[in-house]
Amino acid sequence: MTEHTDSQFRVESDSMGDRQIASSVYYGIQTLRAIENFPISGIKPLATYVDAGLIIKKATAIVNGELNCIPQDISQAIVQATDEILAGKFRDQFVVDVYQAGAGTSHHMNINEVLANRALEILGEEKGNYKRVSPNDHVNYGQSTNDVIPTAIRIGGLLALSKTLHPAIDSAIASLENKAVEFQDIVKSGRTHLQDAVPVRLGENFRAWAQILTEHQNRIYTASGDLMVLGLGGSAAGTGLNTHPLYRARIIEVLSELIDTPLEPAPHLMAAMQSMAPFVNVSGALRNLAQDLVKISHDLRLMDSGPKTGLKEIQLPPVQPGSSIMPGKYNPVMAEMTSMVCFQVMGYDSAIALAAQAGQLELNVMMPLIAYNLIHSIEILGNTIAALTERCIEGITANKERCLAYAEGSLALVTALNTHIGYLNAAAVAKESLETGKSLRQIVLERGLMSETDLATVLNLEQMSGILPLRTE
């Protein structure tokens, strides 16, 4: 119920009393109370999470209109309001801090109120006339925070994956594969324990990273299958109270069409409401990806270290000056940024795991934290991989001469002699080379352990650094 005191304010009422609200805003009294109750971080809901909620409200308005649960004109006005906001209007009206009331009631009501008030305007009414269009009785018909929010997390996660993370991984894999081809003939020293190891191909380093990302992509696809199973229709406690008998099946059909993804109803609505396992599963896949991205970013930094006192086997493209005091210095900032984002994702994953086990009985009230951390993790990982690819990987060049010098000077070349002169003889050769500075070739020939022709064949760097093909017979 709303009263108008002057043109600048309206008065809205709820079960706790009356409050003045600026006439210009589209949110209502419950959102206002949330603004006052939760001045915590200043972080507003992620755009993708808002989109997910709006898409759900559009679908519910369509279905409830079809089933005559709400009047057709109200159904159409709600749909129009959601389309306008999805197109970019009124985005500043979603204002509740991400750290808020348990389960996400405040954010949910923020969406309901904005849609109700915009629908009122579409119908020629004034904002706040909830007797005509109610946030609860119309926009939220047959729904509860308890089934809408876990569904919004699922939809938001799917949207973020398809729009941000998967395209970024695809581009990174393609770029790494291109570099693998470009650098395939460059031989360098391998390193294990940060010590000299047998020679490898620089191109295979990049091909290995491409394979690692491909495998992570597959793991994320598998995990995200859990997000396609929806408990929408469970209402307050998973029983479907106050929903039309045909609502549950129809809402899945409409949502599938709206996001062009094959969704399915959960086999047990209470289970879908109570368990946060799907989000933990996806978050774990993201954490796994983040861990390998840290490894790759650290490898890039090591291989680019220098330019005079490090490895400097590759050159990462300089993108900004690296020091406020040392002229001419350039730092591997894209790789550094990547590690920082990955550490944040790992932290979010830990928070999601803690929140997921904190549910009680019919509900997990920690869903707002899970929603923000999961969708934000997907998006910052996607943005990071895209930036790393464009601003770093695509511009990497190789120092072929330095790579070859390290490979030729590595004591680990002696490994190739094991099957010809024995491990102990090879170890003695390596020790003498380190103590005297003589080459491995010189010492082997001086000791008469191999002929010069055989030695040249065994210590062929190109042959040693190639990956043996898989053979089954």
Side-chain angles (χ1 to χ4, degrees):
M1 181 175 180
T2 303
E3 298 178 8
H4 289 269
T5 55
D6 57 46
S7 60
Q8 293 183 323
F9 295 96
R10 65 181 189 268
V11 175
E12 289 193 12
S13 303
D14 62 11
S15 59
M16 297 180 65
D18 300 339
R19 292 298 302 273
Q20 272 195 343
I21 300 176
S23 297
S24 60
V25 301
Y26 285 81
Y27 57 77
I29 188 170
Q30 292 202 42
T31 302
L32 177 64
R33 294 192 190 281
I35 294 170
E36 295 171 342
N37 288 334
F38 309 114
I40 307 304
S41 68
I43 303 173
K44 299 302 186 285
L46 294 165
T48 302
Y49 185 45
V50 173
D51 287 349
L54 292 167
I55 291 169
I56 292 168
K57 293 300 173 179
K58 178 177 180 177
T60 57
I62 291 171
V63 174
N64 285 325
E66 289 178 351
L67 299 174
N68 295 317
C69 295
I70 63 175
Q72 285 294 322
D73 60 340
I74 293 178
S75 168
Q76 293 169 7
I78 295 170
V79 169
Q80 181 178 332
T82 60
D83 285 340
E84 289 177 352
I85 301 171
L86 288 169
K89 294 183 178 180
F90 313 113
R91 302 297 298 201
D92 61 344
Q93 298 300 299
F94 302 98
V95 293
V96 181
D97 198 282
V98 298
Y99 303 103
Q100 57 174 274
T105 302
S106 298
H107 171 71
H108 185 207
M109 284 308 303
N110 188 179
I111 292 178
N112 287 335
E113 289 174 340
V114 171
L115 289 175
N117 280 312
R118 179 55 189 148
L120 282 167
E121 286 187 334
I122 292 169
L123 293 171
E125 302 281 350
E126 293 184 344
K127 292 194 290 288
N129 183 12
Y130 296 151
K131 288 184 178 180
R132 178 72 195 280
V133 180
S134 166
N136 299 90
D137 298 333
H138 297 114
V139 180
N140 197 54
Y141 184 92
Q143 303 154 66
S144 166
T145 295
N146 304 345
D147 67 339
V148 168
I149 292 301
T151 302
I153 302 173
R154 286 167 167 82
I155 299 298
L158 291 170
L159 292 175
L161 286 169
S162 65
K163 293 180 180 179
T164 307
L165 184 58
H166 286 313
I169 296 176
D170 288 338
S171 294
I173 291 170
S175 182
L176 290 168
E177 290 283 7
N178 289 337
K179 288 297 173 183
V181 173
E182 181 182 347
F183 300 150
Q184 185 58 33
D185 295 333
I186 298 177
V187 179
K188 65 184 289 290
S189 177
R191 293 179 184 85
T192 57
H193 302 266
L194 291 180
Q195 305 297 305
D196 296 352
V198 296
V200 297
R201 302 285 180 89
L202 180 60
E204 293 299 341
N205 285 142
F206 284 81
R207 187 166 286 110
W209 295 336
Q211 180 64 30
I212 288 169
L213 292 188
T214 298
E215 292 171 1
H216 281 297
Q217 177 96 298
N218 293 335
R219 293 186 190 101
I220 294 168
Y221 273 124
T222 299
S224 65
D226 287 349
L227 301 182
M228 300 177 190
V229 181
L230 308 185
L232 194 60
S235 186
T239 63
L241 182 67
N242 291 345
T243 63
H244 190 284
L246 300 178
Y247 169 79
R248 182 184 173 196
R250 181 62 180 137
I251 194 66
I252 299 298
E253 293 175 355
V254 174
L255 270 176
S256 296
E257 293 171 2
L258 291 180
I259 68 169
D260 193 25
T261 300
L263 307 172
E264 59 183 278
H268 197 288
L269 295 178
M270 291 178 69
M273 185 176 297
Q274 294 176 25
S275 175
M276 302 291 104
F279 311 133
V280 174
N281 194 22
V282 174
S283 180
L286 299 176
R287 183 205 65 239
N288 203 353
L289 168 62
Q291 290 171 165
D292 269 341
L293 279 175
V294 170
K295 191 268 182 189
I296 292 171
S297 65
H298 287 184
D299 285 351
L300 290 171
R301 292 170 61 206
L302 280 171
M303 293 165 69
D304 182 50
S305 60
K308 297 295 186 182
T309 60
L311 299 180
K312 212 56 181 181
E313 295 173 327
I314 61 174
Q315 173 66 60
L316 304 184
V319 296
Q320 64 184 54
S323 174
S324 62
I325 189 173
M326 292 179 281
K329 192 173 191 293
Y330 299 100
N331 299 330
V333 295
M334 301 308 296
E336 293 165 348
M337 174 275 298
T338 298
S339 293
M340 285 186 271
V341 170
C342 290
F343 297 151
Q344 183 66 75
V345 169
M346 294 177 203
Y348 284 153
D349 176 67
S350 295
I352 288 171
L354 291 171
Q357 59 83 44
Q360 300 89 26
L361 303 176
E362 276 66 62
L363 184 66
N364 186 307
V365 298
M366 303 298 166
M367 288 189 289
L369 178 66
I370 294 173
Y372 178 76
N373 285 6
L374 182 67
I375 297 172
H376 195 47
S377 290
I378 294 169
E379 294 186 331
I380 61 176
L381 265 181
N383 292 337
T384 294
I385 294 171
L388 181 69
T389 300
E390 179 182 353
R391 306 288 293 170
C392 181
I393 295 172
E394 291 180 356
I396 292 174
T397 56
N399 188 334
K400 183 176 182 178
E401 292 74 20
R402 195 152 191 170
C403 286
L404 182 60
Y406 285 141
E408 290 179 335
S410 172
L411 290 180
L413 293 178
V414 77
T415 305
L417 303 176
N418 286 353
T419 58
H420 300 276
I421 65 176
Y423 183 89
L424 292 179
N425 278 332
V429 170
K431 182 179 179 181
E432 182 179 345
S433 177
L434 184 62
E435 290 174 348
T436 66
K438 293 181 180 180
S439 71
L440 298 175
R441 296 175 187 271
Q442 181 180 352
I443 296 170
V444 170
L445 293 174
E446 287 177 352
R447 294 190 177 200
L449 296 173
M450 293 182 69
S451 70
E452 186 171 355
T453 301
D454 289 342
L455 184 59
T457 300
V458 172
L459 293 184
N460 183 301
L461 292 182
E462 285 72 21
Q463 181 176 334
M464 290 171 63
S465 60
I467 295 181
L468 290 175
L470 178 66
R471 296 182 60 178
T472 58
E473 59 180 34

PDB file of all heavy atoms in Angstrom, residues 60 67 112 245 258 337 354 415:
ATOM      1  N   THR A  60       8.799 -17.014 -15.252  1.00  0.00           N
ATOM      2  CA  THR A  60       7.674 -17.262 -14.339  1.00  0.00           C
ATOM      3  C   THR A  60       6.464 -16.421 -14.731  1.00  0.00           C
ATOM      4  O   THR A  60       5.322 -16.891 -14.625  1.00  0.00           O
ATOM      5  CB  THR A  60       8.066 -16.977 -12.886  1.00  0.00           C
ATOM      6  OG1 THR A  60       8.542 -15.632 -12.752  1.00  0.00           O
ATOM      7  CG2 THR A  60       9.159 -17.932 -12.418  1.00  0.00           C
ATOM      8  N   LEU A  67      -0.971 -20.037 -17.425  1.00  0.00           N
ATOM      9  CA  LEU A  67      -1.786 -20.885 -16.549  1.00  0.00           C
ATOM     10  C   LEU A  67      -2.888 -20.106 -15.835  1.00  0.00           C
ATOM     11  O   LEU A  67      -3.572 -20.657 -14.969  1.00  0.00           O
ATOM     12  CB  LEU A  67      -0.871 -21.574 -15.520  1.00  0.00           C
ATOM     13  CG  LEU A  67       0.215 -22.491 -16.093  1.00  0.00           C
ATOM     14  CD1 LEU A  67       1.129 -22.999 -14.996  1.00  0.00           C
ATOM     15  CD2 LEU A  67      -0.408 -23.655 -16.855  1.00  0.00           C
ATOM     16  N   ASN A 112      11.974  -8.189  -7.326  1.00  0.00           N
ATOM     17  CA  ASN A 112      10.506  -8.198  -7.366  1.00  0.00           C
ATOM     18  C   ASN A 112       9.936  -6.780  -7.354  1.00  0.00           C
ATOM     19  O   ASN A 112       8.991  -6.465  -8.098  1.00  0.00           O
ATOM     20  CB  ASN A 112       9.949  -8.979  -6.176  1.00  0.00           C
ATOM     21  CG  ASN A 112      10.147 -10.480  -6.324  1.00  0.00           C
ATOM     22  OD1 ASN A 112      10.270 -11.002  -7.423  1.00  0.00           O
ATOM     23  ND2 ASN A 112      10.192 -11.175  -5.200  1.00  0.00           N
ATOM     24  N   PRO A 245      -0.185 -27.034 -10.714  1.00  0.00           N
ATOM     25  CA  PRO A 245       0.321 -28.392 -10.977  1.00  0.00           C
ATOM     26  C   PRO A 245       1.181 -28.505 -12.237  1.00  0.00           C
ATOM     27  O   PRO A 245       2.072 -29.356 -12.309  1.00  0.00           O
ATOM     28  CB  PRO A 245      -0.963 -29.221 -11.120  1.00  0.00           C
ATOM     29  CG  PRO A 245      -1.989 -28.474 -10.337  1.00  0.00           C
ATOM     30  CD  PRO A 245      -1.645 -27.019 -10.496  1.00  0.00           C
ATOM     31  N   LEU A 258      14.795 -19.631 -23.095  1.00  0.00           N
ATOM     32  CA  LEU A 258      15.315 -18.278 -22.882  1.00  0.00           C
ATOM     33  C   LEU A 258      16.839 -18.233 -22.851  1.00  0.00           C
ATOM     34  O   LEU A 258      17.444 -17.245 -23.284  1.00  0.00           O
ATOM     35  CB  LEU A 258      14.752 -17.697 -21.587  1.00  0.00           C
ATOM     36  CG  LEU A 258      13.258 -17.360 -21.588  1.00  0.00           C
ATOM     37  CD1 LEU A 258      12.828 -16.802 -20.235  1.00  0.00           C
ATOM     38  CD2 LEU A 258      12.918 -16.349 -22.692  1.00  0.00           C
ATOM     39  N   MET A 337      49.544 -10.599 -12.633  1.00  0.00           N
ATOM     40  CA  MET A 337      48.115 -10.394 -12.423  1.00  0.00           C
ATOM     41  C   MET A 337      47.368 -11.723 -12.428  1.00  0.00           C
ATOM     42  O   MET A 337      46.456 -11.952 -11.614  1.00  0.00           O
ATOM     43  CB  MET A 337      47.576  -9.466 -13.505  1.00  0.00           C
ATOM     44  CG  MET A 337      46.066  -9.273 -13.520  1.00  0.00           C
ATOM     45  SD  MET A 337      45.164 -10.550 -14.437  1.00  0.00           S
ATOM     46  CE  MET A 337      45.800 -10.369 -16.092  1.00  0.00           C
ATOM     47  N   LEU A 354      32.964 -23.714   2.804  1.00  0.00           N
ATOM     48  CA  LEU A 354      32.480 -23.459   4.166  1.00  0.00           C
ATOM     49  C   LEU A 354      31.000 -23.126   4.169  1.00  0.00           C
ATOM     50  O   LEU A 354      30.230 -23.611   5.010  1.00  0.00           O
ATOM     51  CB  LEU A 354      33.286 -22.325   4.798  1.00  0.00           C
ATOM     52  CG  LEU A 354      34.752 -22.624   5.114  1.00  0.00           C
ATOM     53  CD1 LEU A 354      35.469 -21.350   5.524  1.00  0.00           C
ATOM     54  CD2 LEU A 354      34.866 -23.681   6.205  1.00  0.00           C
ATOM     55  N   THR A 415      72.463 -37.991 -19.346  1.00  0.00           N
ATOM     56  CA  THR A 415      71.415 -39.004 -19.165  1.00  0.00           C
ATOM     57  C   THR A 415      71.309 -39.915 -20.377  1.00  0.00           C
ATOM     58  O   THR A 415      71.030 -41.117 -20.256  1.00  0.00           O
ATOM     59  CB  THR A 415      70.066 -38.319 -18.903  1.00  0.00           C
ATOM     60  OG1 THR A 415      70.195 -37.430 -17.796  1.00  0.00           O
ATOM     61  CG2 THR A 415      68.969 -39.331 -18.615  1.00  0.00           C
TER      62      THR A 415
END
